[in-house]
Amino acid sequence: IALENYKKAIKNGAVCVISNSTVKLEIPKHVVWIQVKDIHVAMAHVSKKFFKNPFEKTKIIGITGTNGKTTTSQFIDSMLEQFKKNTVVMGTLGIMTKEKNVQTGLTTPLALDIFRTFKNDKKHNLEYLVIELSSHGGYYKRTDGLDFDIIVFTNLTQDHLDFHPTLEHYKNTKLGFVVNLKKQKKKAQTIINIDDMHSKDFIQESKNAKVKYHTYSVKDPNADFYAKILKLEDGKSVFEVFNKGKFMSAVCVSIPGIFNVYNVLASFCVCYLLGFSVKKITTALANLSTVEGRFEAVSNNKGISVFVDYAHTPDSLKNILQSMKKTFISKNSNRKLICVFGCGGNRDKRKRPLMGKIAADFCDVVVLTSDNPRNESEITIIKEIQEGIPKKFKNLHTEKNRKKAIFFALKIAKKDDLVLVSGKGHEKFQIIKNKKTPFSDRETILKFFSQIPK
């Protein structure tokens, strides 16, 4: 609870208060007062004990990195379900099982929610937990009560610099998940994308923690797990997987984009290290489908390729636009690429012009709009994005109303053109001032097509 409410909590019957040792409180004699060095660490371990650790016999897989956490965790969860395993996945889309989806509003849930949600689920024999590990989750020690079997590092690029003072601080909170492995009794392993420039830090921390690490790559054949790409097409990716240079399997997934090859390869590695056969894994991968709001195609009868994606960082926007250009346009230069996006208010302002430049570099048409402006002016945010767009770029349009911006992009799109609506992905709201208003990019797109003649 908020510190200022502790007296009210005691009045309402609290029999024990746990607080940071640096804060002096007025505690009655009948109440136990425990002072700790780090309240967040204490919360994690108290929650684990209080709710009798429903994950005591569960294998736990954590996914950390800037991009790909949600997609990779959902892929792994889908594969484990195909293997008839009892799984739970926690992340941006909620705390999800076959029976329920608890929305937390956080990428990594609070320690209290992690354990409380499954307090009575020991009887269900939870075999696997797949959890997204965010930098905020690391900073607030939300997963300190969990003992991991595997931690995956996907990549690290600029993000959350409204919260973290530097990129180094941001990186160190993610490295903290690996550092903590040396404290747990359970033997753990790490899986590291060596195509990322920060991978060496994760390898070093894995060595320091004395845990076995495995590398994966789409570029380096010397990686422990290497994906040799054969085809990247509309709606399909085909590649071969090698383990230490030895051929393992050919993989075909109905999911486009090189960034998704990384996500699929990481999922392959996890399931292989969990002990599942290559044949089972390859079959399960063939049955994967796109994750909600992650390069999700929205069907229409006008022959326009429309996608919704969560890309809200410079790197993620670049990856998806670059992949769309290479996969969809390289063989048909007449197709135009149109992108609709904005940047969140009260968040890292430094990425705004960077994203503007990236959009102009790859797109034929850019439509700037609002994306959770919060307490900032939509016009101001749009102008700051616009600063990164060269003056010579002529096909720039601005519309602060997100619905109107999406409608405009779809209206100017012709048959075979591509439209990417980016930034919100799965989100079902817009945050304007302090109010959440229902809004869905996908539903808005469907509404546009339902209003035009067939």
Side-chain angles (χ1 to χ4, degrees):
I1 62 170
L3 184 61
E4 61 266 22
N5 292 331
Y6 82 93
K7 288 184 180 179
K8 187 177 178 182
I10 292 170
K11 189 178 178 181
N12 288 344
V15 296
C16 176
V17 173
I18 304 173
S19 71
N20 282 334
S21 54
T22 54
V23 181
K24 300 302 174 188
L25 307 177
E26 296 175 19
I27 305 293
K29 287 184 178 178
H30 72 279
V31 175
V32 176
W33 183 17
I34 302 171
Q35 299 177 65
V36 298
K37 185 177 179 181
D38 189 323
I39 192 69
H40 303 298
V41 173
M43 173 62 82
H45 289 280
V46 168
S47 299
K48 178 179 182 177
K49 195 78 173 175
F50 188 83
F51 295 113
K52 299 178 182 177
N53 190 12
F55 306 111
E56 191 175 2
K57 296 180 180 178
T58 305
K59 289 191 175 180
I60 303 176
I61 301 102
I63 318 292
T64 196
T66 304
N67 304 312
K69 295 188 298 296
T70 300
T71 303
T72 303
S73 63
Q74 293 289 327
F75 284 172
I76 295 167
D77 180 65
S78 171
M79 293 166 73
L80 292 171
E81 283 195 0
Q82 291 183 62
F83 301 151
K84 308 297 183 189
K85 302 299 178 182
N86 291 323
T87 69
V88 52
V89 59
M90 298 183 182
T92 310
L93 302 183
I95 299 177
M96 305 168 72
T97 67
K98 287 179 184 176
E99 296 81 26
K100 59 187 174 185
N101 182 357
V102 180
Q103 293 296 312
T104 68
L106 300 168
T107 300
T108 305
L110 299 174
L112 196 63
D113 291 329
I114 289 173
F115 292 99
R116 177 169 53 191
T117 307
F118 295 94
K119 62 183 177 182
N120 297 318
D121 280 14
K122 269 196 171 182
K123 60 186 178 183
H124 293 155
N125 184 27
L126 290 171
E127 296 173 274
Y128 295 90
L129 163 62
V130 187
I131 183 168
E132 294 181 49
L133 304 176
S134 69
S135 62
H136 289 69
Y139 183 83
Y140 291 114
K141 310 294 196 304
R142 293 174 191 162
T143 60
D144 268 38
L146 297 176
D147 290 329
F148 290 91
D149 291 86
I150 295 173
I151 286 181
V152 178
F153 165 65
T154 59
N155 51 67
L156 194 135
T157 59
Q158 181 177 328
D159 199 12
H160 301 303
L161 296 187
D162 52 296
F163 179 80
H164 300 281
T166 63
L167 185 64
E168 192 72 11
H169 187 273
Y170 172 54
K171 178 178 72 176
N172 287 337
T173 59
K174 290 187 176 291
L175 283 169
F177 293 114
V178 180
V179 173
N180 282 348
L181 294 177
K182 60 187 170 190
K183 298 177 187 174
Q184 65 179 47
K185 293 178 182 177
K186 187 193 282 189
K187 273 193 172 183
Q189 302 180 77
T190 58
I191 300 172
I192 299 165
N193 171 18
I194 58 166
D195 293 345
D196 186 272
M197 63 183 290
H198 300 283
S199 59
K200 61 183 184 299
D201 298 306
F202 285 83
I203 289 171
Q204 186 57 53
E205 289 301 342
S206 298
K207 290 177 179 176
N208 293 344
K210 295 182 179 177
V211 300
K212 189 171 184 180
Y213 69 89
H214 309 265
T215 59
Y216 70 100
S217 172
V218 168
K219 299 176 181 177
D220 187 353
N222 295 315
D224 294 327
F225 295 90
Y226 166 63
K228 181 182 179 182
I229 296 174
L230 303 179
K231 284 182 187 176
L232 291 174
E233 299 177 342
D234 295 26
K236 187 168 76 170
S237 300
V238 183
F239 57 94
E240 294 176 335
V241 180
F242 294 82
N243 178 216
K244 299 184 188 297
K246 184 180 177 182
F247 176 79
M248 295 183 81
S249 176
V251 173
C252 179
V253 291
S254 302
I255 303 165
I258 190 168
F259 51 91
N260 271 320
V261 174
Y262 279 99
N263 298 330
V264 171
L265 180 59
S267 306
F268 183 108
C269 297
V270 167
C271 290
Y272 182 73
L273 294 178
L274 288 174
F276 296 100
S277 70
V278 172
K279 185 178 179 181
K280 268 190 172 184
I281 293 168
T282 307
T283 302
L285 288 174
N287 295 324
L288 290 181
S289 56
T290 307
V291 176
E292 181 187 3
R294 268 60 180 180
F295 204 36
E296 180 183 6
V298 184
S299 61
N300 63 85
N301 58 0
K302 295 298 175 184
I304 305 168
S305 297
V306 186
F307 298 91
V308 170
D309 194 77
Y310 191 54
H312 60 282
T313 67
D315 192 63
S316 58
L317 186 64
K318 181 181 178 181
N319 285 342
I320 194 165
L321 290 175
Q322 195 172 41
S323 188
M324 288 177 78
K325 198 94 173 172
K326 185 176 181 181
T327 307
F328 296 94
I329 296 178
S330 60
K331 295 175 184 175
N332 185 355
S333 57
N334 293 323
R335 303 178 86 173
K336 282 190 170 60
L337 177 53
I338 303 166
C339 181
V340 182
F341 81 101
C343 288
N346 304 115
R347 296 293 185 265
D348 179 18
K349 293 185 177 186
R350 286 168 284 185
K351 69 182 181 182
R352 293 172 185 173
L354 299 177
M355 293 178 71
K357 183 179 186 307
I358 288 164
D361 284 346
F362 290 98
C363 298
D364 299 288
V365 181
V366 174
V367 183
L368 300 181
T369 188
S370 63
D371 180 352
N372 297 337
R374 298 180 178 86
N375 293 311
E376 282 195 74
S377 157
E378 295 104 314
I379 300 299
T380 301
I381 296 171
I382 288 170
K383 282 181 178 176
E384 290 179 357
I385 300 171
Q386 209 169 332
E387 286 174 9
I389 299 177
K391 295 267 193 298
K392 64 182 181 181
F393 186 83
K394 301 301 179 187
N395 292 323
L396 172 66
H397 304 270
T398 62
E399 171 53 68
K400 71 175 186 177
N401 182 298
R402 194 171 178 93
K403 178 184 174 182
K404 288 182 180 178
I406 293 171
F407 272 39
F408 172 79
L410 297 173
K411 191 175 180 181
I412 65 171
K414 294 182 171 59
K415 187 176 183 292
D416 293 330
D417 284 350
L418 296 109
V419 178
L420 173 68
V421 182
S422 184
K424 298 188 71 61
H426 65 285
E427 290 180 353
K428 303 292 191 294
F429 55 81
Q430 269 274 58
I431 306 173
I432 302 173
K433 302 301 180 188
N434 294 317
K435 188 178 178 183
K436 270 190 177 183
T437 305
F439 188 90
S440 162
D441 284 348
R442 186 174 181 278
E443 293 303 317
T444 301
I445 293 163
L446 290 172
K447 190 171 184 180
F448 172 85
F449 287 113
S450 71
Q451 292 178 3
I452 60 175
K454 292 184 178 180

